[in-house]
Amino acid sequence: MWKAKTCFRQIFLGVVTRRYSRVAPPPSSVIRVTNNIAHLGPPKQGPLPRQLISLPPFPGYPLPGKNAGVDGDEGDSGHVTAISWVKYYFEEIHDKAIQTHFTKGLVQMEFRGRRDTSREKEDGAIPMRKIKHNEVMEIGDKIWLPVSIAEMRISKRYDTIPSGTLYPNADEIAYLQRLVRFKDSAIIVLNKPPKLPVKGNVPIHNSMDALAAAALSFGKDEGPRLVHRLDRETSGLLVMGRSKESIDYLHSVFSDYKGRNSSCKAWNKACEAMYQQYWALVIGSPKKKEGLISAPLSKVLLDDGKTDRVVLAQGSGFEASQEAITEYRVLGPMINGCSWLELRPITSRKHQLRVHCAEALGTPIVGDYKYGWFVHKRWKQMPQVDIEPTTGKPYKLRRPKGLDVQKGSVLSKVPLLHLHCREMVLPNIAKFLHVLNQQETEPLYTGIIDKPDLLRFVASMPSHMKISWNLMSSYLV
């Protein structure tokens, strides 16, 4: 009787008490209909997490090699918006794809100010917030966005390599001319494919210097000449001079002195702003996400008496060595036990990036069997469980359907070298040839004055590196 009165009093006063047993309540479920048959099932899962990469810290206004107001986003206000910074970094990506990522709210930025390092150590997560396309960037701001923004189409066949002849045919000449990214009266900039040697010797006729003389003269009496080199297996931006004066200036720019010995302040400033930037896929991941490698290099002769090898100098003082400095930064997550690095060499030494990655960082470049042979032998080329850097959670990579990974990619049996010269900023040689050689009494033409002091170039990756990138950009499972 007393229990009945108590229950009536609670209902009358609007208080309802529900008593649960110690057994956990059943998980939530929804009714689904399949083939006209209703059944209970789990709720639909949300979107799977995406792999994220980070852009370098914002360097400030103005951006190297870019005039204010070119794309209408900067104007004359002296600032850069978030979408302008992303478009600048991913110059080879279509503007529509970048705009779509901003519209869907996929672009994030690390919180400004001091980080909560205790939280980062606990769960590995980096505190971030979503940003809009018109947010003004400040020096040091760091943007994160999905790797899918840089997904690229893969050619169904290998790039054609010209045959070994000093007289290329019409198809080979057309192929070489399609590699040209920029051309003016002073320089030619090419996107060199892998496996094409830059400097030839007696048994090699299809080198870039020999082919350029026959296919890239563009009406001049002589073809362009090399001013710096890339390894045979390395791809990316290659600069060639078209006149004796431009070749001399380019040699000074690519030297360690960077050409900074002129009375012209604009030229010295442009030479100081010059840099090269590489993308590389390495086995493993450096302990620090970014840093500076200062490790001198020296050459040693192997037992056969013919082959030399570049190694880290021991510092004993009995061997000849050269100073070598490289800046590096980890782009994002790991893929199949490998991670993408952004490399910026401060000095120009033979095999500098390959030796610094293999011996200084302990992460040899994928496909570099000369300096990473033993690591390649231990490296198991099979799907592995990796850690996503922004959340600290483990994941497995899903291989996209219909993708041929046997083109030298990271999942092929014998990967090709994953080292690509992606970006380069150079002084405008054609402009400074007029500026440095003019007489004090001679005024410069308006067309010459209006030209920028710096030129910036970005080259897309070769097919095997595009495949490896697209593998990383798939969803996580």
Side-chain angles (χ1 to χ4, degrees):
M1 185 67 179
W2 179 80
K3 291 183 179 179
K5 288 182 179 180
T6 304
C7 182
F8 175 76
R9 187 180 296 117
Q10 290 177 346
I11 294 174
F12 179 76
L13 295 175
V15 179
V16 179
T17 303
R18 299 183 64 182
R19 300 182 181 277
Y20 293 100
S21 66
R22 293 185 178 180
V23 180
S28 59
S29 59
V30 296
I31 300 177
R32 302 186 184 279
V33 179
T34 306
N35 296 330
N36 297 327
I37 300 176
H39 60 89
L40 291 177
K44 187 177 181 180
Q45 295 183 353
L48 294 171
R50 296 171 178 265
Q51 301 232 45
L52 300 179
I53 61 170
S54 64
L55 269 63
F58 180 66
Y61 177 89
L63 297 174
K66 181 179 178 65
N67 289 338
V70 170
D71 59 356
D73 292 329
E74 298 175 15
D76 298 326
S77 56
H79 64 261
V80 179
T81 58
I83 193 170
S84 297
W85 170 231
V86 176
K87 287 180 180 180
Y88 173 84
Y89 188 78
F90 292 108
E91 186 180 284
E92 72 275 27
I93 305 302
H94 199 276
D95 292 352
K96 186 177 180 180
I98 297 175
Q99 182 65 54
T100 301
H101 280 71
F102 275 95
T103 304
K104 292 183 178 181
L106 301 176
V107 184
Q108 304 178 71
M109 180 189 292
E110 293 184 12
F111 279 104
R112 292 169 180 162
R114 187 174 298 176
R115 290 184 182 176
D116 187 0
T117 55
S118 60
R119 183 190 170 193
E120 291 185 23
K121 291 181 179 180
E122 290 176 2
D123 55 11
I126 300 175
M128 294 187 291
R129 61 181 178 87
K130 295 181 180 180
I131 60 172
K132 295 183 178 180
H133 70 282
N134 57 353
E135 180 158 341
V136 177
M137 300 293 295
E138 296 182 5
I139 295 178
D141 283 348
K142 202 168 185 179
I143 287 180
W144 291 75
L145 65 170
V147 180
S148 57
I149 194 172
E151 278 188 350
M152 307 171 195
R153 293 184 178 180
I154 309 300
S155 176
K156 294 183 178 179
R157 60 181 181 180
Y158 285 102
D159 294 331
T160 306
I161 301 298
S163 59
T165 174
L166 292 175
Y167 304 99
N169 56 37
D171 292 336
E172 293 170 341
I173 291 176
Y175 165 74
L176 289 169
Q177 292 180 353
R178 285 196 299 269
L179 301 178
V180 176
R181 295 282 301 165
F182 177 82
K183 174 174 65 70
D184 64 7
S185 60
I187 65 172
I188 288 180
V189 182
L190 308 169
N191 185 7
K192 172 191 166 305
K195 300 182 182 179
L196 184 62
V198 172
K199 184 68 176 176
N201 49 32
V202 175
I204 299 178
H205 296 299
N206 64 331
S207 61
M208 183 59 73
D209 59 340
L211 293 170
L216 301 178
S217 59
F218 292 106
K220 287 201 171 187
D221 296 335
E222 296 182 0
R225 299 291 183 88
L226 292 171
V227 294
H228 72 113
R229 297 187 183 184
L230 294 177
D231 295 339
R232 179 191 181 106
E233 295 82 7
T234 305
S235 60
L237 293 168
L238 182 69
V239 181
M240 306 185 80
R242 302 192 68 190
S243 65
K244 185 179 183 302
E245 287 185 331
S246 63
I247 292 172
D248 292 339
Y249 279 111
L250 286 170
H251 276 306
S252 66
V253 167
F254 280 98
S255 67
D256 291 341
Y257 298 102
K258 303 292 185 186
R260 292 168 294 191
N261 54 358
S262 172
S263 59
C264 179
K265 294 182 179 180
W267 167 257
N268 295 335
K269 186 177 179 180
C271 291
E272 290 178 1
M274 178 263 180
Y275 67 84
Q276 293 174 276
Q277 190 181 91
Y278 290 73
W279 276 8
L281 184 64
V282 299
I283 301 175
S285 181
K287 295 180 180 179
K288 295 183 179 180
K289 297 303 180 183
E290 57 184 16
L292 182 71
I293 305 171
S294 180
L297 303 178
S298 61
K299 288 184 180 180
V300 296
L301 197 63
L302 299 184
D303 295 336
D304 59 4
K306 299 179 181 179
T307 310
D308 60 356
R309 182 186 177 97
V310 181
V311 297
L312 294 181
Q314 301 299 322
S316 60
F318 297 101
E319 57 182 352
S321 62
Q322 291 181 311
E323 183 185 19
I325 304 174
T326 304
E327 292 180 357
Y328 76 92
R329 184 177 69 89
V330 179
L331 282 175
M334 297 182 68
I335 163 181
N336 200 47
C338 305
S339 55
W340 288 90
L341 299 186
E342 184 182 84
L343 305 169
R344 183 177 292 192
I346 308 301
T347 56
S348 302
R349 303 286 179 254
K350 181 180 179 181
H351 296 174
Q352 173 178 323
L353 299 181
R354 296 167 65 177
V355 176
H356 276 179
C357 287
E359 299 189 17
L361 295 179
T363 56
I365 300 175
V366 172
D368 188 2
Y369 306 103
K370 182 171 186 177
Y371 297 104
W373 172 252
F374 295 104
V375 178
H376 277 77
K377 288 178 65 177
R378 297 193 302 267
W379 177 37
K380 297 180 180 179
Q381 294 179 345
M382 55 188 300
Q384 301 179 11
V385 177
D386 295 317
I387 303 297
E388 211 286 323
T390 57
T391 62
K393 296 180 179 180
Y395 71 86
K396 280 189 177 182
L397 192 70
R398 183 191 67 184
R399 182 182 300 188
K401 295 182 179 179
L403 185 61
D404 181 13
V405 299
Q406 299 301 326
K407 281 189 174 183
S409 72
V410 65
L411 295 184
S412 63
K413 295 181 179 179
V414 184
L416 298 178
L417 183 68
H418 282 58
L419 180 60
H420 176 72
C421 183
R422 177 183 176 270
E423 182 184 357
M424 185 181 298
V425 171
L426 282 176
N428 191 344
I429 303 296
K431 174 182 178 178
F432 282 108
L433 284 177
H434 293 276
V435 174
L436 297 175
N437 294 333
Q438 71 162 345
Q439 301 293 331
E440 294 183 358
T441 58
E442 294 181 2
L444 288 175
Y445 296 106
T446 305
I448 297 175
I449 296 176
D450 295 339
K451 290 182 179 180
D453 291 347
L454 292 172
L455 299 175
R456 177 176 178 265
F457 312 104
V458 178
S460 59
M461 293 186 290
S463 296
H464 68 282
M465 293 185 68
K466 288 181 181 178
I467 295 174
S468 298
W469 183 274
N470 289 0
L471 285 168
M472 181 180 69
S473 66
S474 65
Y475 285 98
L476 312 179
V477 296

